[in-house]
Amino acid sequence: MGKIRVAIVEDDLEWIELLKIILFKEEDMMLVGVAFNKDEAVRLSQALEQIDVFLVDINLTENNLDGIFVAVELREKNYAGKVIMLTSMMDEEIVRKSFVAGVSNYILKKNAPELPSLIRSAYAERTPIEILANDYCRLKQEEQLKNLTPAERELYELAENGLSRLEMERKLLKSENTIKGQIKKILRKLEATNTKEAIRKVRSGGLL
């Protein structure tokens, strides 16, 4: 069995060194990369063939909680591995937002020595907390769509699946004006300026 390939997303050099020390002690783990911000993390996920687990600091820029958006962005880019959020805070709302973003687990930095066991659990299987988090994430996504009519919901799902307006017209046997009118209503209800933004907002559970 190969080693668990881990990447770090952290802006604090001292914490990076501490995480390296923790990981290097584990014979079944390998540090494959370090990123300092969201853009670097996304590039890293696309550049390397495999990253099993990302360790992401929740605050990469002061107290902006931008680690949450790292998790959202990785999910949008079809990253198939796991994300474990590192933080010094235990605010209930922040925890909820992290799970909506798609993280597999959440650990206080003071408990960093427990990281190896969390990494193994996340890598090996879907843990109970991850299953609950995924269910909660789906609920938040559905919450974004609750005000759409059945016809609008059908149109949104076609857009999410990548169909063009012309393809929607043909599939639904509706006129161009009808499709345009329904899309305008969808965007208004989702408070988005275009379908791409609407899809991002729904997929992120309203975080974006």
Side-chain angles (χ1 to χ4, degrees):
M1 184 176 179
K3 292 188 176 184
I4 303 172
R5 297 167 62 85
V6 181
I8 297 170
V9 187
E10 169 66 75
D11 65 333
D12 187 321
L13 293 177
E14 290 185 6
W15 264 103
I16 290 173
E17 291 306 312
L18 176 61
L19 292 172
K20 284 181 178 180
I21 290 170
I22 291 172
L23 293 173
F24 289 162
K25 290 179 180 178
E26 307 301 321
E27 294 183 357
D28 59 341
M29 296 178 192
M30 175 190 302
L31 178 62
V32 295
V34 176
F36 294 93
N37 55 51
K38 176 173 67 66
D39 292 339
E40 289 184 8
V42 172
R43 285 197 294 270
L44 193 62
S45 72
Q46 296 175 324
L48 296 181
E49 185 174 336
Q50 178 187 348
I51 299 176
D52 299 309
V53 178
F54 265 99
L55 304 178
V56 181
D57 179 19
I58 201 166
N59 280 324
L60 296 169
T61 310
E62 296 181 347
N63 292 312
N64 290 329
L65 304 180
D66 39 353
I68 290 175
F69 300 108
V70 171
V72 172
E73 192 81 10
L74 288 173
R75 191 173 67 190
E76 283 194 335
K77 299 298 183 182
N78 299 315
Y79 167 63
K82 306 297 181 68
V83 176
I84 295 176
M85 195 70 77
L86 306 173
T87 181
S88 299
M89 303 174 292
M90 203 57 187
D91 180 271
E92 184 177 338
E93 181 61 23
I94 293 173
V95 174
R96 280 201 297 266
K97 286 182 177 180
S98 296
F99 286 131
V100 170
V103 306
S104 298
N105 217 322
Y106 189 102
I107 184 173
L108 291 173
K109 284 187 171 181
K110 67 178 183 179
N111 297 328
E114 299 174 14
L115 263 175
S117 62
L118 287 182
I119 292 171
R120 291 187 186 97
S121 295
Y123 174 73
E125 59 186 351
R126 295 179 72 207
T127 62
I129 193 169
E130 186 178 351
I131 293 170
L132 288 172
N134 288 341
D135 288 342
Y136 182 68
C137 182
R138 282 192 292 271
L139 285 173
K140 296 300 288 185
Q141 290 174 352
E142 284 298 319
E143 189 178 290
Q144 304 298 306
L145 300 170
K146 65 181 180 181
N147 292 325
L148 301 188
T149 66
E152 291 166 353
R153 175 66 180 262
E154 182 180 27
L155 198 61
Y156 168 82
E157 290 175 352
L158 293 178
E160 190 176 35
N161 289 328
L163 272 69
S164 67
R165 289 192 182 186
L166 181 58
E167 290 170 325
M168 293 177 192
E169 293 167 23
R170 292 172 176 170
K171 185 175 182 64
L172 300 176
L173 302 177
K174 293 182 178 180
S175 70
E176 180 182 358
N177 286 337
T178 299
I179 295 295
K180 283 183 177 179
Q182 287 185 317
I183 289 176
K184 284 183 179 179
K185 290 179 180 178
I186 292 170
L187 297 180
R188 185 168 62 250
K189 289 179 180 180
L190 296 178
E191 298 181 355
T193 56
N194 54 57
T195 52
K196 184 177 180 181
E197 181 184 331
I199 291 168
R200 288 193 77 208
K201 186 173 183 179
V202 172
R203 286 179 174 175
S204 72
L207 291 174
L208 297 178

Coordinates of all heavy atoms in Angstrom, one line a residue, residues 99-154:
F99 N -18.0 22.8 6.9 CA -18.6 21.5 6.5 C -19.4 21.8 5.2 O -19.5 20.9 4.3 CB -19.4 20.9 7.5 CG -18.6 20.2 8.6 CD1 -18.8 20.5 9.9 CD2 -17.5 19.4 8.3 CE1 -18.0 19.9 10.9 CE2 -16.7 18.8 9.2 CZ -17.0 19.0 10.5
V100 N -20.1 22.9 5.1 CA -20.8 23.3 3.9 C -19.8 23.3 2.7 O -20.1 23.0 1.6 CB -21.6 24.6 4.0 CG1 -22.1 25.1 2.6 CG2 -22.7 24.5 5.0
A101 N -18.6 23.8 3.0 CA -17.6 23.9 2.0 C -17.0 22.6 1.5 O -16.4 22.5 0.5 CB -16.4 24.8 2.5
G102 N -17.4 21.5 2.3 CA -17.0 20.2 1.9 C -15.8 19.6 2.6 O -15.2 18.6 2.1
V103 N -15.4 20.1 3.8 CA -14.3 19.6 4.5 C -14.7 18.2 5.1 O -15.9 18.0 5.4 CB -13.7 20.5 5.6 CG1 -13.4 21.9 5.0 CG2 -14.7 20.6 6.7
S104 N -13.7 17.3 5.3 CA -13.9 16.0 5.9 C -13.8 16.1 7.4 O -14.5 15.3 8.1 CB -12.9 15.0 5.3 OG -13.1 14.9 4.0
N105 N -13.0 17.0 7.9 CA -12.9 17.1 9.4 C -12.4 18.5 9.7 O -11.9 19.2 8.8 CB -12.0 16.0 10.0 CG -12.6 15.5 11.3 OD1 -13.1 16.3 12.1 ND2 -12.5 14.2 11.6
Y106 N -12.4 18.8 11.0 CA -12.1 20.1 11.5 C -11.3 19.9 12.8 O -11.8 19.2 13.7 CB -13.4 20.8 11.8 CG -13.4 22.3 12.1 CD1 -13.7 23.2 11.1 CD2 -13.1 22.7 13.4 CE1 -13.8 24.5 11.4 CE2 -13.2 24.1 13.7 CZ -13.5 25.0 12.7 OH -13.5 26.3 13.0
I107 N -10.1 20.5 13.0 CA -9.3 20.2 14.2 C -8.7 21.5 14.7 O -8.3 22.4 13.9 CB -8.2 19.2 13.9 CG1 -7.5 18.9 15.2 CG2 -7.3 19.6 12.8 CD1 -6.5 17.7 15.0
L108 N -8.7 21.7 16.0 CA -8.1 22.9 16.6 C -6.5 22.7 16.5 O -6.0 21.6 16.6 CB -8.5 23.0 18.0 CG -9.9 23.4 18.3 CD1 -10.2 23.3 19.8 CD2 -10.2 24.8 17.8
K109 N -5.8 23.8 16.2 CA -4.4 23.7 16.1 C -3.7 23.2 17.3 O -2.7 22.5 17.3 CB -3.8 25.0 15.7 CG -4.1 25.4 14.2 CD -3.3 26.7 13.8 CE -3.4 26.9 12.3 NZ -2.7 28.1 11.9
K110 N -4.3 23.4 18.5 CA -3.7 23.0 19.7 C -3.7 21.4 19.8 O -3.0 20.8 20.6 CB -4.4 23.5 21.0 CG -5.8 23.1 21.1 CD -6.5 23.7 22.4 CE -7.9 23.1 22.6 NZ -8.5 23.7 23.8
N111 N -4.6 20.8 19.0 CA -4.7 19.4 19.0 C -3.9 18.8 17.8 O -4.2 17.6 17.3 CB -6.1 18.9 18.9 CG -6.9 19.3 20.1 OD1 -6.4 19.4 21.2 ND2 -8.2 19.6 19.9
A112 N -3.0 19.5 17.2 CA -2.2 19.1 16.0 C -1.6 17.7 16.1 O -1.5 17.0 15.1 CB -1.2 20.1 15.7
P113 N -1.1 17.3 17.3 CA -0.6 15.9 17.4 C -1.6 14.8 17.0 O -1.2 13.7 16.7 CB -0.2 15.8 18.9 CG 0.1 17.2 19.3 CD -0.9 18.0 18.6
E114 N -2.9 15.1 17.0 CA -3.9 14.1 16.7 C -4.1 14.0 15.1 O -4.8 13.2 14.6 CB -5.2 14.5 17.3 CG -5.2 14.5 18.8 CD -6.6 15.0 19.4 OE1 -7.5 15.1 18.6 OE2 -6.6 15.4 20.6
L115 N -3.4 14.9 14.4 CA -3.6 15.0 13.0 C -3.3 13.6 12.2 O -4.1 13.2 11.4 CB -2.7 16.0 12.3 CG -3.3 17.4 12.1 CD1 -2.3 18.4 11.6 CD2 -4.5 17.2 11.1
P116 N -2.3 12.9 12.5 CA -2.0 11.6 11.8 C -3.2 10.7 11.8 O -3.6 10.1 10.8 CB -0.8 11.0 12.5 CG -0.1 12.3 13.0 CD -1.1 13.2 13.4
S117 N -3.9 10.6 13.0 CA -5.0 9.7 13.1 C -6.2 10.2 12.3 O -6.9 9.4 11.6 CB -5.4 9.4 14.5 OG -5.8 10.6 15.1
L118 N -6.4 11.5 12.3 CA -7.4 12.1 11.5 C -7.2 11.9 10.0 O -8.1 11.6 9.2 CB -7.6 13.6 11.8 CG -8.2 14.0 13.1 CD1 -8.3 15.5 13.2 CD2 -9.6 13.4 13.3
I119 N -5.9 12.1 9.6 CA -5.6 11.9 8.2 C -5.8 10.5 7.7 O -6.4 10.2 6.7 CB -4.1 12.3 8.0 CG1 -3.9 13.8 8.1 CG2 -3.6 11.8 6.6 CD1 -2.4 14.2 8.2
R120 N -5.4 9.5 8.6 CA -5.7 8.1 8.2 C -7.2 7.8 8.1 O -7.6 7.1 7.2 CB -5.0 7.2 9.3 CG -3.5 7.2 9.3 CD -2.9 6.2 10.2 NE -1.5 6.3 10.3 CZ -0.8 7.0 11.2 NH1 -1.5 7.6 12.2 NH2 0.5 7.1 11.2
S121 N -7.9 8.3 9.0 CA -9.4 8.1 9.0 C -10.0 8.7 7.7 O -10.8 8.1 7.1 CB -10.1 8.7 10.2 OG -9.6 8.0 11.4
A122 N -9.6 9.9 7.4 CA -10.2 10.6 6.3 C -9.8 9.9 5.0 O -10.6 9.7 4.1 CB -9.7 12.0 6.2
Y123 N -8.5 9.4 4.9 CA -8.0 8.7 3.8 C -8.7 7.3 3.6 O -9.0 6.9 2.5 CB -6.5 8.5 3.9 CG -5.9 7.7 2.8 CD1 -5.8 8.2 1.5 CD2 -5.4 6.4 3.0 CE1 -5.2 7.4 0.5 CE2 -4.8 5.6 2.0 CZ -4.8 6.2 0.7 OH -4.2 5.4 -0.3
A124 N -8.9 6.6 4.7 CA -9.4 5.2 4.6 C -10.8 5.1 4.3 O -11.2 4.2 3.5 CB -9.1 4.5 5.9
E125 N -11.7 6.0 4.8 CA -13.1 5.8 4.6 C -13.8 7.1 4.9 O -13.3 8.1 5.4 CB -13.6 4.7 5.5 CG -13.3 5.0 7.0 CD -13.7 3.9 7.9 OE1 -14.3 2.9 7.4 OE2 -13.4 3.9 9.1
R126 N -15.1 7.1 4.6 CA -16.0 8.2 5.0 C -16.4 8.0 6.4 O -17.0 7.1 6.8 CB -17.2 8.2 4.1 CG -17.0 8.5 2.6 CD -18.3 8.5 1.9 NE -19.1 9.7 2.2 CZ -20.4 9.7 2.1 NH1 -21.1 8.6 1.8 NH2 -21.0 10.8 2.3
T127 N -15.9 8.9 7.2 CA -16.2 8.9 8.7 C -17.6 9.3 8.9 O -18.2 10.0 8.1 CB -15.2 9.8 9.5 OG1 -15.4 11.1 9.0 CG2 -13.8 9.3 9.2
P128 N -18.2 9.0 10.1 CA -19.5 9.5 10.5 C -19.7 11.0 10.4 O -20.7 11.5 9.9 CB -19.7 9.0 11.9 CG -18.9 7.7 12.0 CD -17.7 8.0 11.1
I129 N -18.7 11.7 10.8 CA -18.7 13.2 10.8 C -18.7 13.6 9.3 O -19.4 14.6 9.0 CB -17.6 13.8 11.6 CG1 -17.9 15.3 11.8 CG2 -16.2 13.6 10.9 CD1 -17.0 16.0 12.8
E130 N -18.0 12.9 8.4 CA -18.0 13.3 7.0 C -19.4 13.1 6.4 O -19.8 13.9 5.6 CB -16.9 12.5 6.3 CG -16.7 13.0 4.9 CD -15.6 12.2 4.2 OE1 -14.9 11.5 4.9 OE2 -15.5 12.4 3.0
I131 N -20.0 11.9 6.7 CA -21.3 11.6 6.2 C -22.3 12.7 6.6 O -23.1 13.2 5.8 CB -21.7 10.2 6.6 CG1 -20.8 9.1 6.0 CG2 -23.2 10.0 6.3 CD1 -21.0 7.8 6.6
L132 N -22.3 13.1 7.9 CA -23.2 14.1 8.4 C -22.9 15.4 7.7 O -23.8 16.2 7.3 CB -23.0 14.3 9.9 CG -23.6 13.1 10.7 CD1 -23.2 13.3 12.2 CD2 -25.1 13.1 10.6
A133 N -21.6 15.7 7.5 CA -21.2 17.0 6.8 C -21.7 17.0 5.4 O -22.2 18.0 4.9 CB -19.7 17.1 6.8
N134 N -21.6 15.9 4.7 CA -22.1 15.8 3.3 C -23.6 16.0 3.2 O -24.1 16.7 2.3 CB -21.7 14.5 2.6 CG -20.2 14.4 2.3 OD1 -19.5 15.4 2.3 ND2 -19.7 13.2 2.2
D135 N -24.3 15.4 4.2 CA -25.8 15.6 4.2 C -26.1 17.0 4.5 O -27.1 17.6 3.9 CB -26.4 14.7 5.3 CG -26.3 13.2 5.0 OD1 -26.2 12.9 3.8 OD2 -26.5 12.4 5.9
Y136 N -25.4 17.7 5.4 CA -25.7 19.1 5.7 C -25.4 19.9 4.5 O -26.1 20.9 4.2 CB -24.8 19.5 6.9 CG -25.0 20.9 7.4 CD1 -26.2 21.3 7.9 CD2 -24.0 21.9 7.2 CE1 -26.4 22.6 8.3 CE2 -24.2 23.2 7.6 CZ -25.4 23.6 8.1 OH -25.6 24.9 8.5
C137 N -24.3 19.6 3.8 CA -24.0 20.4 2.6 C -25.1 20.3 1.6 O -25.5 21.3 0.9 CB -22.7 19.8 2.0 SG -22.1 20.7 0.6
R138 N -25.6 19.1 1.4 CA -26.7 18.9 0.4 C -28.0 19.7 0.9 O -28.7 20.3 0.0 CB -27.1 17.4 0.3 CG -26.1 16.7 -0.6 CD -26.7 15.3 -1.0 NE -26.7 14.4 0.2 CZ -25.7 13.6 0.6 NH1 -24.6 13.6 -0.1 NH2 -25.8 12.9 1.7
L139 N -28.2 19.7 2.2 CA -29.4 20.5 2.7 C -29.2 22.0 2.4 O -30.2 22.7 2.0 CB -29.5 20.3 4.2 CG -30.1 18.9 4.6 CD1 -30.1 18.8 6.1 CD2 -31.6 18.8 4.1
K140 N -28.0 22.5 2.5 CA -27.7 23.9 2.3 C -27.9 24.2 0.8 O -28.3 25.3 0.4 CB -26.3 24.3 2.8 CG -26.1 24.2 4.3 CD -27.1 25.1 5.0 CE -26.8 26.6 4.9 NZ -27.6 27.4 5.8
Q141 N -27.5 23.2 -0.1 CA -27.7 23.4 -1.5 C -29.1 23.5 -1.8 O -29.6 24.3 -2.6 CB -27.0 22.3 -2.3 CG -25.4 22.4 -2.2 CD -24.8 21.2 -2.8 OE1 -25.4 20.2 -3.2 NE2 -23.4 21.3 -2.9
E142 N -29.9 22.5 -1.2 CA -31.3 22.5 -1.5 C -32.0 23.8 -1.0 O -33.0 24.3 -1.6 CB -32.0 21.3 -0.8 CG -31.7 20.0 -1.5 CD -32.3 20.0 -2.9 OE1 -33.4 20.5 -3.1 OE2 -31.6 19.5 -3.9
E143 N -31.5 24.3 0.1 CA -32.0 25.6 0.7 C -32.0 26.7 -0.4 O -32.8 27.6 -0.4 CB -31.3 25.9 1.9 CG -31.9 27.1 2.7 CD -31.1 27.3 4.0 OE1 -31.1 26.4 4.9 OE2 -30.4 28.3 4.1
Q144 N -30.9 26.7 -1.2 CA -30.7 27.8 -2.2 C -31.8 27.6 -3.3 O -32.2 28.6 -3.9 CB -29.3 27.7 -2.8 CG -28.2 27.7 -1.9 CD -28.1 29.1 -1.1 OE1 -28.1 30.1 -1.8 NE2 -28.1 29.0 0.2
L145 N -32.3 26.4 -3.5 CA -33.2 26.2 -4.6 C -34.7 26.1 -4.2 O -35.5 25.9 -5.1 CB -32.8 24.9 -5.3 CG -31.4 24.8 -5.9 CD1 -31.1 23.3 -6.3 CD2 -31.3 25.7 -7.1
K146 N -35.0 26.3 -2.9 CA -36.3 26.1 -2.4 C -37.4 27.0 -3.0 O -38.6 26.6 -3.1 CB -36.3 26.2 -0.9 CG -36.0 27.6 -0.4 CD -36.1 27.6 1.2 CE -35.8 29.0 1.7 NZ -35.7 29.1 3.1
N147 N -37.0 28.2 -3.5 CA -38.0 29.1 -4.0 C -38.2 29.0 -5.5 O -39.0 29.7 -6.1 CB -37.6 30.5 -3.7 CG -37.6 30.9 -2.2 OD1 -38.5 30.4 -1.5 ND2 -36.7 31.7 -1.8
L148 N -37.5 28.0 -6.2 CA -37.7 27.8 -7.6 C -39.0 27.0 -7.8 O -39.2 26.0 -7.1 CB -36.5 27.1 -8.2 CG -35.1 27.8 -8.1 CD1 -34.1 27.0 -9.0 CD2 -35.2 29.3 -8.5
T149 N -39.7 27.3 -8.9 CA -40.8 26.4 -9.3 C -40.3 25.1 -9.9 O -39.1 25.1 -10.2 CB -41.7 27.1 -10.3 OG1 -40.9 27.3 -11.5 CG2 -42.2 28.5 -9.8
P150 N -41.1 24.1 -10.0 CA -40.6 22.8 -10.7 C -40.0 23.1 -12.0 O -39.0 22.5 -12.4 CB -41.9 22.0 -10.7 CG -42.7 22.4 -9.5 CD -42.5 23.9 -9.5
A151 N -40.7 24.0 -12.8 CA -40.2 24.3 -14.2 C -38.8 25.0 -14.1 O -37.9 24.7 -14.9 CB -41.2 25.1 -14.9
E152 N -38.7 25.9 -13.1 CA -37.4 26.6 -13.0 C -36.3 25.7 -12.4 O -35.2 25.8 -12.9 CB -37.6 27.8 -12.0 CG -38.5 28.9 -12.6 CD -38.9 29.9 -11.5 OE1 -38.7 29.7 -10.3 OE2 -39.5 30.9 -11.9
R153 N -36.7 24.8 -11.6 CA -35.7 23.8 -11.0 C -35.2 22.9 -12.2 O -34.0 22.6 -12.2 CB -36.4 23.0 -9.9 CG -35.6 21.8 -9.4 CD -34.4 22.4 -8.6 NE -33.6 21.3 -8.1 CZ -33.6 20.9 -6.8 NH1 -34.5 21.5 -6.0 NH2 -32.9 19.9 -6.4
E154 N -36.1 22.5 -13.0 CA -35.7 21.7 -14.2 C -34.7 22.4 -15.1 O -33.7 21.9 -15.5 CB -36.9 21.2 -15.0 CG -36.6 20.3 -16.2 CD -37.8 19.9 -16.9 OE1 -38.8 20.7 -17.0 OE2 -37.8 18.8 -17.6

